[in-house]
Amino acid sequence: GIDMNIYELLRFEEGFRADPYLCSEGYVTVGVGTKLHTDKGLDPNSFCISVSKAQADEWVKSKLTTQSFSLSKQPAYAGLSDDRKAIIQSMAYQLGVTGLFNFKKMWAALEDAAYDEAADEMLDSMWAIQTPERAARHAEVMGWGILENVYEGLV
């Protein structure tokens, strides 16, 4: 089996691009899903930057460290398995911690260890409409609790 960590998960979900591009939501992005600007629809070619995988990974680590601190204040997060935590980390990476905290019914389900219900709440969202494949994979892991069941063969 695979022992997948959050970095591999994010590299799979976000991909790696050395040069700036527009993400699916229209933000100029580089590396492993790092937003370069908060305005939508800017020209990626006007950003004179190219990043190495090492630099992109440093940015990922920095963001994960910050968001882990915020997530640790959420009691439901602390009780999750590592694989479920990785899914929450990936969602926070994509949506921001504030955006993730808006999934109030998902958090309520997680507090009750109702993982299938939490998965349903994840899929009943704008996020699932915008990135359906990622949302489906993440909800499946939340239900099963095992990254390997969903991501084996993909990474």
Side-chain angles (χ1 to χ4, degrees):
I2 55 171
D3 180 22
M4 182 186 222
N5 66 33
I6 183 63
Y7 302 109
E8 290 168 321
L9 177 66
L10 287 173
R11 267 195 295 270
F12 173 78
E13 292 292 0
E14 300 283 347
F16 168 78
R17 302 269 291 271
D19 298 314
Y21 64 97
L22 283 181
C23 76
S24 60
E25 293 301 296
Y27 295 103
V28 177
T29 305
V30 75
V32 181
T34 299
K35 243 188 242 179
L36 291 178
H37 206 284
T38 54
D39 290 347
K40 284 188 178 192
L42 301 177
D43 179 4
N45 297 319
S46 66
F47 289 77
C48 300
I49 185 175
S50 187
V51 300
S52 65
K53 283 197 161 128
Q55 178 62 66
D57 282 350
E58 283 306 310
W59 287 344
V60 169
K61 283 179 186 148
S62 173
K63 187 169 176 179
L64 288 173
T65 301
T66 307
Q67 72 184 34
S68 290
F69 178 74
S70 300
L71 290 168
S72 69
K73 297 175 182 170
Q74 169 60 258
Y77 177 77
L80 296 176
S81 67
D82 287 349
D83 285 0
R84 286 190 172 108
K85 279 182 179 168
I87 291 305
I88 294 294
Q89 286 275 5
S90 173
M91 290 177 74
Y93 192 88
Q94 186 183 9
L95 301 165
V97 171
T98 308
L100 183 60
F101 283 155
N102 288 332
F103 282 67
K104 299 206 183 324
K105 290 179 178 173
M106 177 197 76
W107 285 108
L110 290 177
E111 279 171 35
D112 294 338
Y115 300 117
D116 289 338
E117 189 183 326
D120 290 343
E121 293 300 339
M122 289 162 66
L123 294 175
D124 183 20
S125 66
M126 183 58 75
W127 168 67
I129 293 167
Q130 290 168 338
T131 52
E133 294 88 0
R134 182 177 187 161
R137 285 188 293 270
H138 282 24
E140 195 177 341
V141 173
M142 188 57 76
W144 281 103
I146 305 168
L147 280 167
E148 193 176 323
N149 286 3
V150 178
Y151 285 90
E152 191 157 41
L154 297 178
V155 292

